[in-house]
Amino acid sequence: MNDVAQRWSALQERVTRACAVVGRSPTEVAILAAVKTQPPERIVAVLEAGAHLLGHNRAQEMAELEPRLHESWPGTWETHFIGALQTNKVNQVLRYASCIQSVDRSALAERLSAAAGRLGRTVEVFVEVNASGEETKSGVQPEQALEFAVAVAGMEGLRLRGLMTIGKNSPDAGEVRAGFEEMARLSAALVSSGMPGTADAGELSMGMSTDLDIAVAAGSTMVRVGTALFGPRTR
Ligand SMILES: *Cc1c(COP(=O)(O)O)cnc(C)c1O
């Protein structure tokens, strides 16, 4: 087994353990491989190991990688965009991604909705929330998250899957947990809001290599993992 395949099984075991602690089934938690800066052969290795969700951070990198991956791997996977997205990159990104996890402002949501109409397809989205309150992080503020998510859920051509966040960068597990728990409360409020397009928007994309166990305990349904799968990024 190559190192990526080994890390993939170790990661699955880790998610299973994190689920067991809180009595959840590991089938409730999807693993998205965050592939930024990885060469195609390492990404193919993770697909061969069983991954079926890839997340890209940069439009350019995604446009270079995705065709090469399709050349070297006959299987299928679902491509998500998880990085900061400029409105002028929307069309490029939608050539490859079925889901945009980083919807953090109206202008972007409107562009995506218009593009979906033009392309005659539905674009899946997550609303990104800045639950940690760190200034360097993107995402809508938690106080605005419900209103914004409801607006996005009602937009033509978009299907809101849920909420996404990047955990607080803190050595204090309690602080990290508090952010994830706030996300879980927002998610519950969204799903029970009764507003159009929200009833099925219960997914929670949260948890990365360092904090996924805490995120799973708080209700994450999708962890986005780079380092724990591929090793430290060199670039
Ligand atoms: C890089 C990245 C991840 C994965 O981070 P790791 O700490 O390497 O697991 C997850 N989500 C987003 C948005 C990222 O940019």
Side-chain angles (χ1 to χ4, degrees), residues 44-74:
V44 168
V46 86
L47 290 169
E48 283 173 341
H52 56 88
L53 273 173
L54 301 185
H56 296 269
N57 282 73
R58 288 171 165 279
Q60 186 59 37
E61 204 172 274
M62 175 163 82
E64 283 162 19
L65 273 174
E66 284 280 328
R68 294 183 63 181
L69 296 176
H70 280 288
E71 276 163 27
S72 20
W73 173 245

Side-chain angles (χ1 to χ4, degrees), residues 32 63 83 88 107 111 115 120 129 139 142 144 154 157 162-163 183 188 193 198 218:
L32 174 140
N88 63 5
R111 260 324 165 86
V129 181
Q144 273 104 53
L163 305 177
M183 291 294 290
S193 69
T198 60

